[in-house]
């Protein structure tokens, strides 16, 4: 496996764990602080992380193509 693919898989797995833990926490934690955390931090993570993971895959493909072209 290429290093970026490996990093992508680790990030993807860790993101799933974090999502599951946040859902469990949010089910128990329902106050103004939780709402603020969700609004100010969590929602950004939900947008940024999937996009970042997609860009890592694209970069991996570009690097793989560059390696093929050099050989």
């Amino acid at each position: 496996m290429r290093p970026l693919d490996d990093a992508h898989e680790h990030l993807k797995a860790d993101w799933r764990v974090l999502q599951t833990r946040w859902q469990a926490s949010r089910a128990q934690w329902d106050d103004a602080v939780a709402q603020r955390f969700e609004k100010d931090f969590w929602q950004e993570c939900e947008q940024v992380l999937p996009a970042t993971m997609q860009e890592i895959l694209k970069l991996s493909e570009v690097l793989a193509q560059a390696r093929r072209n050099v050989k």
Side-chain angles (χ1 to χ4, degrees):
M1 184 176 281
R2 296 176 292 206
L4 282 176
D5 293 337
D6 192 35
H8 173 268
E9 289 304 313
H10 284 285
L11 184 57
K12 187 171 146 182
D14 290 344
W15 176 236
R16 279 193 221 121
V17 169
L18 189 58
Q19 286 177 307
T20 300
R21 289 183 180 171
W22 170 246
Q23 290 168 357
S25 296
R26 191 64 176 98
Q28 301 296 317
W29 183 30
D30 189 22
D31 63 10
V33 176
Q35 292 168 5
R36 181 171 168 247
F37 176 84
E38 190 167 46
K39 180 179 174 246
D40 293 348
F41 301 102
W42 185 255
Q43 289 176 353
E44 182 178 355
C45 287
E46 288 183 315
Q47 294 173 0
V48 171
L49 279 168
T52 300
M53 289 187 286
Q54 188 62 33
E55 292 304 314
I56 289 171
L57 287 178
K58 288 179 186 178
L59 180 58
S60 179
E61 287 302 316
V62 168
L63 290 174
Q65 182 64 43
R67 285 187 193 107
R68 286 191 294 273
N69 290 342
V70 170
K71 291 182 180 182

